[in-house]
Amino acid sequence: MSTVVLLLFTGVGLGAIYFLVASGLSLIYGLMHVLNFAHGVFLSLGAFLGFEVASRLGATTWTGFAASLLVGALAGALFAALTERLLVQRLYERHIEQVLVTVGLGLAAVALFDGIWGTDPRFISGPAWMGRTTSVLGANVPNDRFVAILVAGLVLLGMVLFLRRTRYGMIIRAGVENRAMVTALGIDVRTAFTLVFTIGGIAAGLGGVLASHYFGYVSPLLGQTLLIFAFIVTVIGGLGSLTGAAIASVVVALLQQFANYYLWGTGDLAVVVLLAVVLLTRPSGLMGRRA
Amino acid sequence: MSTSTPASATAYRGGARAWVGRLAPPALVLLLACLPLLDLRLPGVLPGPTYTPGTLHLLALAMVMAALALSYHLLLGVAGLLSFGHALYFGLGAYLLGIVMSELELGLVPSVLVVLVAGVVISLLLGAVSLRVTGIPFAMVTLAFAQAGSVLVRRDPGRVTGGEEGLRLPTEQVPDALVGVADTRNLYWLALAALVLAFLLVSWVQGSRAGHVAAAVRENELRVRVLGMRPFLVKLAIFVAASVIAVGMGMVHLLLNSGAVPHIVSAELTISLLLMVVIGGVGSRWGAVAGAVLYVLLNQRLTVLAQATWVHDLPAPLRIPLSEPMFVLGTLFVLVVLFLPGGLAGTVARVRRWRGTAGPGGSTEGADRLEDVDDEQQVATAGGARR
């Protein structure tokens, strides 16, 4: 029983990190039809800068942790906004070339991080409480899982409120539904493009800091590794659907954890099998629109 | 090239150009075949004289990658399929050949046949699943399959793949002429033959009925359907052809490098193929070859540059980017996508047109074709938006 509870919390915690990456990917794809291969490096940059700030302010203090989250989010947002403005927007409406540009940026940025921070993982430490465990129904759950779940929950809430209650949120939702109509009404969707990239960058940056605590290290390839699972999550959840991304992140992460424990470490393969099954039965994903 | 040239002279010159165009490829192959016997030096491009094993190995690697890029061209340039999992088949060829030779203790030739059959079966299965979706979802699904393969190779089930360490070529099953540094020239000739074979195969597939239908599907899938043809089967045929060529090149790569490492199954390898094809010019066979050769040589030169002493003495903001080959290549790729649509092949064609002598088949097809890759997906999303 305690194992199941532990796996549940670990899985949902991992799902929270997947969601932070996948939500941005899904929003960007939904509005712009761009598969953002640079999303992983937004995450890595957030993780590295968060690590730098935390180690300067004291890695084991709560101020250090809060500052690392803030800096991670800002770094992700800035990097994402610049990417959109300087690279993606120049190739307006040329989706495949937009994908290629993000692929190139991803390669170049990973190499640059290699050069700055080295290829070896940097092991990190957080506030003492995060390293300890809390007993839930007999299972000793590491506390960083709760922080990841809390932050991802807040991000989901924030995104939903933003999309439902604000003017720009409505433009983005309308753009996902029918971009041609939004443009025809005289609204400049390009601001919305920069905005979804920035929001995706914030979530990815936060995800980077949390992922580095979850895995206990930060390395230049951290983002790209998570990115592949985030791609799978967005396809399973349905491209462009925020709810789909949230559900699929948790499903994928739980499946991965349970298969790793009970099926001899086959978690990654189980996820790919799930992807194949979903594509065979519902090619547009769980919450995707029927094509 | 003056504008007052009489029309007949231009026509004559065009005819001569066509002859040169027809004779140039065999002449080039002949020259390449003679390289191991010559003492040519290209300082700055090649690490040493052309008869040395190091240089021959680098050139052979460039040719294997060029053949692999050609198979990727079949997917992206002909059928308009953006795959992120092509490395899976390359790795499959290399690893499976090694495993069949060491575990089943078969000789080289029977093993090659076994691996080719396995390649056809696996690519048929995975292709049939992946091709249920098109456009970007297709890219993601192929990526996921390749990732599963990569995980499998790194996990080392049954201790057959060697995990992170990689697989060593079981030399006892391989003819002596293909083993050892002294025999690099034989491997070089093997790689050259593989490249020529791949080029002929790709040309044949592209010129076949299936190739034409695949190109038509890339342009407008709906119209092909209306004409009563089955786009799925055609795309699957192209997918299998490209995958089997990649399996073959994986086998050559295993022999060339006397082993296989997990990197050759990774998504990074597929992305470098994408880089080669896009830098060379999407839709052009020569572009794919040129892009691959440029990529391999540049990668090697940049790695040497990264270890140069003068780079180490530079201040950090200059030293770090210069000592990371992938940073330079990634940046180059972004610049090509932004400013040179059509890549090398497209640029050559454009320069020719400026000079008023558009050669046979010279056009900026690459740039237009990238748009076409996307149109298919546009149709799909437009259909979806209506619900």
Side-chain angles (χ1 to χ4, degrees), chain A residues 115-274:
Chain A
I116 298 174
W117 283 288
T119 44
D120 296 330
R122 299 279 186 108
F123 295 98
I124 62 158
S125 49
W129 179 81
M130 282 182 56
R132 286 202 285 272
T133 57
T134 304
S135 187
V136 182
L137 295 170
N140 292 322
V141 183
N143 289 331
D144 54 22
R145 281 19 171 199
F146 297 116
V147 179
I149 297 168
L150 179 73
V151 173
L154 288 177
V155 168
L156 175 61
L157 190 71
M159 279 185 181
V160 169
L161 285 180
F162 175 80
L163 289 175
R164 295 268 149 103
R165 297 293 163 84
T166 63
R167 182 181 151 74
Y168 272 112
M170 279 189 238
I171 294 176
I172 291 173
R173 278 196 299 143
V176 172
E177 287 293 322
N178 189 338
R179 192 174 51 194
M181 182 59 85
V182 176
T183 322
L185 289 173
I187 296 166
D188 186 5
V189 270
R190 277 179 301 174
T191 323
F193 290 170
T194 316
L195 208 58
V196 284
F197 254 86
T198 313
I199 294 171
I202 292 175
L206 285 173
V209 176
L210 293 170
S212 61
H213 283 276
Y214 184 97
F215 295 111
Y217 70 89
V218 45
S219 84
L221 285 175
L222 179 69
Q224 300 308 79
T225 317
L226 281 170
L227 184 66
I228 291 182
F229 286 105
F231 281 154
I232 297 177
V233 163
T234 41
V235 174
I236 291 180
L239 285 159
S241 160
L242 198 60
T243 337
I247 296 170
S249 332
V250 176
V251 169
V252 165
L254 281 177
L255 176 71
Q256 209 178 3
Q257 292 295 322
F258 277 91
N260 267 339
Y261 189 81
Y262 289 107
L263 299 173
W264 317 280
T266 51
D268 298 349
L269 294 182
V271 170
V272 175
V273 171
L274 175 69

Side-chain angles (χ1 to χ4, degrees), chain B residues 250-262:
Chain B
M251 295 194 276
V252 177
H253 194 259
L254 174 81
L255 293 173
L256 182 63
N257 281 1
S258 311
V261 286

Side-chain angles (χ1 to χ4, degrees), chain B residues 134-315:
Chain B
T134 50
I136 297 293
F138 174 80
M140 290 190 178
V141 176
T142 49
L143 176 69
F145 281 137
Q147 198 58 25
S150 172
V151 168
L152 206 62
V153 165
R154 280 174 210 269
R155 279 274 163 78
D156 195 8
R159 303 198 168 272
V160 291
T161 64
E164 296 288 338
E165 305 251 306
L167 176 98
R168 208 181 48 81
L169 177 71
T171 42
E172 57 278 6
Q173 308 291 351
V174 182
D176 286 341
L178 294 176
V179 184
V181 180
D183 294 312
T184 307
R185 59 159 88 170
N186 295 337
L187 288 167
Y188 170 87
W189 281 320
L190 178 70
L192 179 62
L195 173 59
V196 172
L197 183 66
F199 195 91
L200 294 177
L201 269 178
V202 167
S203 308
W204 176 66
V205 172
Q206 199 174 347
S208 72
R209 230 177 112 73
H212 285 295
V213 179
V217 171
R218 181 193 70 214
E219 301 293 329
N220 192 335
E221 179 157 357
L222 200 61
R223 199 174 292 177
V224 174
R225 257 173 225 256
V226 171
L227 287 173
M229 282 179 275
R230 307 262 307 267
F232 175 81
L233 287 182
V234 174
K235 282 194 279 187
L236 188 59
I238 299 284
F239 186 89
V240 172
S243 305
V244 171
I245 295 176
V247 167
M249 292 313 132
M251 295 194 276
V252 177
H253 194 259
L254 174 81
L255 293 173
L256 182 63
N257 281 1
S258 311
V261 286
H263 170 76
I264 62 168
V265 202
S266 64
E268 287 100 71
L269 188 96
T270 310
I271 287 179
S272 49
L273 286 179
L274 186 65
L275 252 70
M276 294 169 195
V277 171
V278 171
I279 289 176
V282 178
S284 158
R285 269 166 287 171
W286 287 111
V289 174
V293 172
L294 181 73
Y295 179 94
V296 172
L297 292 183
L298 208 54
N299 198 3
Q300 202 269 345
R301 292 330 291 175
L302 287 171
T303 314
V304 173
L305 177 77
Q307 284 145 9
T309 39
W310 66 268
V311 172
H312 280 273
D313 298 337
L314 288 173

Side-chain angles (χ1 to χ4, degrees), chain A residues 29 33 35 37 90 94-97 100-101 103-104 107-108 111 115 228 231 235 265 272 275 279-280, chain B residues 84 132 136 140-141 143-144 147 155 271 274-275 278 324 327 333 337 339 370-371 373-374 377-378 381 387:
Chain A
Y29 186 86
H33 300 293
L35 184 61
F37 268 82
R90 297 180 62 105
R94 288 153 67 184
H95 301 309
I96 294 291
E97 288 174 0
L100 295 182
V101 157
V103 168
L107 279 180
I228 291 182
F231 281 154
V235 174
V272 175
L275 174 73
L279 282 175
L280 285 172
Chain B
F84 277 101
R132 286 181 58 87
I136 297 293
M140 290 190 178
V141 176
L143 176 69
Q147 198 58 25
R155 279 274 163 78
I271 287 179
L274 186 65
L275 252 70
V278 171
E324 293 294 337
F327 177 79
F333 176 69
V337 173
F339 301 112
L370 269 188
E371 293 314 293
V373 171
D374 189 55
Q377 180 211 342
Q378 286 270 307
T381 48
R387 341 190 194 202

